[in-house]
Amino acid sequence: MTVTSRPRGSEAGSLETGRLGASPGGPPSRRPAVRSRRLPVAKRPRADSNRSGHGDASTPPRRGRFLVGLFLPLVLLATWQLIAVSGLVPAYRLPTPASVWLAGLDLAGDGVLAGHIAISTQRVLIGFAVGSLFGLVVGAIVGLSRWASAFAGPTVGAFRAVPSLAWVPLLILYLGINEDSKVLLIAIGAFFPVYTTVAGALRHVDGHLVELGRAYGLSRTNLLLQVQLPAVLPTVVSGLRLALAQAWLFLVAAELIFSSMGLGFLLSDSQNNGRIDRLFLVIILLAVFGKVTDALIGVLEKYLLKRWS
Amino acid sequence: MSITSVPPRTSVPALGVSIRGVARSFTAADGSIRRVLRDIDLEIGAGEIVALIGPSGCGKSTLLRQVSGLDRPSIGTIAIDDTRVTGVDLRCAVAFQEPRLLPWRSIERNVALGLPPGTDRAAGAARVGELLELVGLSGSRSLRPRQVSGGMAQRASLARALSRGPGVLVLDEPFGALDALTRLRMQDLLLDVHAAEPATILLVTHDVDEALYLADRVVLLGQDPDGPDGSSILRILPVPGVRPRARGDATLAQLRGELLEGLGVDSRHQTAAPHRTSKATATSTARDSR
């Protein structure tokens, strides 16, 4: 526990002391919507060149990029509408966008939908937090110590090889069908991406910088805080991003198999009742929530990369 | 780059270094033992500048690592100011061939990394400001390492070493990766720094001219062809004249020839010059033997 509180501490400390750079919070807080909905295609270097304000011909300006990103969903929506209305596919197989919208309003009306969303989000966030916290700690230990790596590396690797759904029966048997078992499954899903990226990144921190830290008499703790963790921070954030995607994946798995609430339950329930409009609704909701949470980490990642490199 | 003479500070006094009977062996991958250094005895006076010179792979850097405490001798002892070096030592500061700045920190904060632990915040900031002034980086204090040139990064690295307030400054080919012109400027800067902050300087270089321009004594390290395995001190050459020396000083020409000869380069090729190709080869070997 103490080890994991460190990266956050160092992060906060470095951000705070890096006050000399450009005002950090500016652009993200001013236009969160635009940033959060940016396509995943928008990679780092492009974003940087865009930030400097000299968007060249091959990079659309930010506003334009947002509109470009909006184009494909609109086309999909229109195609969907066309096919549904044309009667090519029967309505019990493909609902119209309007009926999905109505199904959403219907569910939202008595607060049922909000309840499903709330419980699912809660599970994802807790599972993600727990899993990535442990991933950070174990990854840091295995990444920093050759002994720990030789000792625990193969075992963790073997556990990682277990398809995570294989844990479900055991989890249910041990913990029962409740929040704990679901959150634990999600945590298992979130653990491995963080563990792998953190351990790998720490193992490959530039040896020159580590030697420099030693030459200047940094203690092990200070070496970790001032050299190794800052060096791996961007990698850690991309690990967190992967972990979050995994968390949503395992959420749906857990809720499909054993739950009476949540978006995954709504999926299986709708399947049993033939409510194809609700199935579509949930899938769209999962896409939106997955993208929004991913974009939030993406904003953090971009911010860190800007400060760090 | 114009560094005017800075009044001497009352910092940590320069400290002498004694290297006594030092040898260092490494175990190779196949289990065989390879001796890199043997029988190194060297007394360096406080405030002296000593240049270590020798062919590639002769153990110059290894010896520096012993002095800075990053590595330990297999046999023998190293003492700074009569206290034995047993590990990384606060009295000694290192600058490497690469600047090794932390890319996520500003130049200023990189320099501050060298401050001795427990330095008062305000005093530390003042000291860093002073050193940035000394190495001519005051205007670049808030830049990131990737935003500055190689020479500026190397000056930051030097300032970081000085921020330690070291009694001994250990420099491992500090200007080796710089272009020729920047290197000459950095040499002058180092002399200015030495005048302002008189630490003992132990410097590894490949450049004979650099050694003769900077050092009080030049130590030639290498494998004795008739001796057992491992480099030892082949020769110690005191350099005459008071710094700053004229770069083309005629009295240094003879020393230069002697050193080049010690490095295995026949210096006579350079003056005779009937074969242009061999002259070029000889010069480039001496300069670029890294």
mmCIF file of all heavy atoms in Angstrom, chain A residues 34-49:
data_model
loop_
_atom_site.group_PDB
_atom_site.id
_atom_site.type_symbol
_atom_site.label_atom_id
_atom_site.label_comp_id
_atom_site.label_asym_id
_atom_site.label_seq_id
_atom_site.Cartn_x
_atom_site.Cartn_y
_atom_site.Cartn_z
ATOM 1 N N VAL A 34 -14.557 18.670 -26.360
ATOM 2 C CA VAL A 34 -13.882 18.434 -27.628
ATOM 3 C C VAL A 34 -12.781 17.412 -27.451
ATOM 4 O O VAL A 34 -12.635 16.474 -28.221
ATOM 5 C CB VAL A 34 -13.281 19.760 -28.134
ATOM 6 C CG1 VAL A 34 -12.535 19.512 -29.423
ATOM 7 C CG2 VAL A 34 -14.394 20.767 -28.343
ATOM 8 N N ARG A 35 -12.019 17.574 -26.360
ATOM 9 C CA ARG A 35 -10.898 16.665 -26.136
ATOM 10 C C ARG A 35 -11.379 15.252 -25.900
ATOM 11 O O ARG A 35 -10.844 14.309 -26.412
ATOM 12 C CB ARG A 35 -10.107 17.127 -24.921
ATOM 13 C CG ARG A 35 -9.352 18.377 -25.226
ATOM 14 C CD ARG A 35 -8.255 18.511 -24.252
ATOM 15 N NE ARG A 35 -7.164 19.223 -24.917
ATOM 16 C CZ ARG A 35 -5.918 18.990 -24.671
ATOM 17 N NH1 ARG A 35 -5.579 18.065 -23.812
ATOM 18 N NH2 ARG A 35 -4.991 19.668 -25.282
ATOM 19 N N SER A 36 -12.402 15.143 -25.067
ATOM 20 C CA SER A 36 -12.801 13.805 -24.647
ATOM 21 C C SER A 36 -13.393 13.019 -25.800
ATOM 22 O O SER A 36 -13.382 11.816 -25.797
ATOM 23 C CB SER A 36 -13.795 13.889 -23.501
ATOM 24 O OG SER A 36 -14.967 14.524 -23.958
ATOM 25 N N ARG A 37 -13.898 13.706 -26.796
ATOM 26 C CA ARG A 37 -14.509 12.943 -27.867
ATOM 27 C C ARG A 37 -13.596 12.757 -29.054
ATOM 28 O O ARG A 37 -14.019 12.309 -30.106
ATOM 29 C CB ARG A 37 -15.795 13.645 -28.312
ATOM 30 C CG ARG A 37 -16.962 13.237 -27.426
ATOM 31 C CD ARG A 37 -18.230 13.858 -27.900
ATOM 32 N NE ARG A 37 -18.822 14.664 -26.845
ATOM 33 C CZ ARG A 37 -19.815 15.489 -27.061
ATOM 34 N NH1 ARG A 37 -20.320 15.636 -28.254
ATOM 35 N NH2 ARG A 37 -20.315 16.171 -26.063
ATOM 36 N N ARG A 38 -12.369 13.139 -28.861
ATOM 37 C CA ARG A 38 -11.445 12.977 -29.976
ATOM 38 C C ARG A 38 -11.268 11.504 -30.307
ATOM 39 O O ARG A 38 -11.245 10.645 -29.432
ATOM 40 C CB ARG A 38 -10.090 13.571 -29.602
ATOM 41 C CG ARG A 38 -9.137 13.580 -30.775
ATOM 42 C CD ARG A 38 -7.875 14.280 -30.400
ATOM 43 N NE ARG A 38 -8.122 15.703 -30.255
ATOM 44 C CZ ARG A 38 -7.234 16.514 -29.713
ATOM 45 N NH1 ARG A 38 -6.114 16.044 -29.272
ATOM 46 N NH2 ARG A 38 -7.484 17.786 -29.620
ATOM 47 N N LEU A 39 -11.129 11.238 -31.579
ATOM 48 C CA LEU A 39 -10.944 9.849 -31.994
ATOM 49 C C LEU A 39 -9.660 9.276 -31.408
ATOM 50 O O LEU A 39 -8.699 9.996 -31.224
ATOM 51 C CB LEU A 39 -10.848 9.785 -33.522
ATOM 52 C CG LEU A 39 -12.162 9.836 -34.289
ATOM 53 C CD1 LEU A 39 -11.868 9.883 -35.767
ATOM 54 C CD2 LEU A 39 -13.016 8.637 -33.966
ATOM 55 N N PRO A 40 -9.668 7.979 -31.148
ATOM 56 C CA PRO A 40 -8.433 7.366 -30.626
ATOM 57 C C PRO A 40 -7.298 7.455 -31.638
ATOM 58 O O PRO A 40 -6.151 7.273 -31.307
ATOM 59 C CB PRO A 40 -8.837 5.908 -30.385
ATOM 60 C CG PRO A 40 -10.078 5.707 -31.173
ATOM 61 C CD PRO A 40 -10.747 7.032 -31.263
ATOM 62 N N VAL A 41 -7.627 7.722 -32.876
ATOM 63 C CA VAL A 41 -6.601 7.811 -33.922
ATOM 64 C C VAL A 41 -5.649 8.975 -33.650
ATOM 65 O O VAL A 41 -4.495 8.936 -34.037
ATOM 66 C CB VAL A 41 -7.285 8.011 -35.290
ATOM 67 C CG1 VAL A 41 -6.247 8.037 -36.397
ATOM 68 C CG2 VAL A 41 -8.280 6.905 -35.535
ATOM 69 N N ALA A 42 -6.160 9.983 -32.946
ATOM 70 C CA ALA A 42 -5.342 11.168 -32.712
ATOM 71 C C ALA A 42 -4.167 10.817 -31.818
ATOM 72 O O ALA A 42 -4.275 10.746 -30.614
ATOM 73 C CB ALA A 42 -6.174 12.255 -32.068
ATOM 74 N N LYS A 43 -3.028 10.590 -32.427
ATOM 75 C CA LYS A 43 -1.863 10.160 -31.670
ATOM 76 C C LYS A 43 -1.067 11.341 -31.160
ATOM 77 O O LYS A 43 -1.310 12.474 -31.542
ATOM 78 C CB LYS A 43 -0.984 9.266 -32.550
ATOM 79 C CG LYS A 43 -1.595 7.887 -32.762
ATOM 80 C CD LYS A 43 -1.128 6.915 -31.697
ATOM 81 C CE LYS A 43 -2.009 5.688 -31.597
ATOM 82 N NZ LYS A 43 -2.190 4.982 -32.847
ATOM 83 N N ARG A 44 -0.087 11.020 -30.340
ATOM 84 C CA ARG A 44 0.654 12.052 -29.631
ATOM 85 C C ARG A 44 1.291 13.123 -30.510
ATOM 86 O O ARG A 44 1.035 14.290 -30.327
ATOM 87 C CB ARG A 44 1.712 11.371 -28.774
ATOM 88 C CG ARG A 44 2.050 12.119 -27.543
ATOM 89 C CD ARG A 44 3.248 11.472 -26.911
ATOM 90 N NE ARG A 44 3.144 10.024 -26.937
ATOM 91 C CZ ARG A 44 4.205 9.239 -26.990
ATOM 92 N NH1 ARG A 44 5.408 9.730 -27.047
ATOM 93 N NH2 ARG A 44 4.057 7.937 -26.989
ATOM 94 N N PRO A 45 2.176 12.722 -31.455
ATOM 95 C CA PRO A 45 2.904 13.770 -32.176
ATOM 96 C C PRO A 45 1.962 14.746 -32.870
ATOM 97 O O PRO A 45 2.185 15.938 -32.854
ATOM 98 C CB PRO A 45 3.735 12.994 -33.192
ATOM 99 C CG PRO A 45 3.381 11.566 -33.063
ATOM 100 C CD PRO A 45 2.524 11.390 -31.878
ATOM 101 N N ARG A 46 0.895 14.209 -33.432
ATOM 102 C CA ARG A 46 -0.038 15.077 -34.119
ATOM 103 C C ARG A 46 -0.666 16.052 -33.145
ATOM 104 O O ARG A 46 -0.789 17.236 -33.415
ATOM 105 C CB ARG A 46 -1.136 14.242 -34.751
ATOM 106 C CG ARG A 46 -0.624 13.487 -35.945
ATOM 107 C CD ARG A 46 -1.734 12.700 -36.577
ATOM 108 N NE ARG A 46 -1.428 12.555 -37.981
ATOM 109 C CZ ARG A 46 -2.275 12.851 -38.931
ATOM 110 N NH1 ARG A 46 -3.468 13.292 -38.624
ATOM 111 N NH2 ARG A 46 -1.936 12.722 -40.190
ATOM 112 N N ALA A 47 -1.043 15.511 -32.005
ATOM 113 C CA ALA A 47 -1.674 16.367 -31.014
ATOM 114 C C ALA A 47 -0.713 17.491 -30.635
ATOM 115 O O ALA A 47 -1.116 18.643 -30.503
ATOM 116 C CB ALA A 47 -2.049 15.558 -29.784
ATOM 117 N N ASP A 48 0.565 17.144 -30.528
ATOM 118 C CA ASP A 48 1.550 18.148 -30.144
ATOM 119 C C ASP A 48 1.656 19.239 -31.202
ATOM 120 O O ASP A 48 1.617 20.413 -30.914
ATOM 121 C CB ASP A 48 2.920 17.490 -29.945
ATOM 122 C CG ASP A 48 3.007 16.885 -28.560
ATOM 123 O OD1 ASP A 48 2.097 17.134 -27.743
ATOM 124 O OD2 ASP A 48 3.966 16.170 -28.316
ATOM 125 N N SER A 49 1.787 18.786 -32.445
ATOM 126 C CA SER A 49 1.967 19.773 -33.497
ATOM 127 C C SER A 49 0.727 20.656 -33.563
ATOM 128 O O SER A 49 0.796 21.832 -33.863
ATOM 129 C CB SER A 49 2.203 19.083 -34.833
ATOM 130 O OG SER A 49 1.019 18.464 -35.269
#
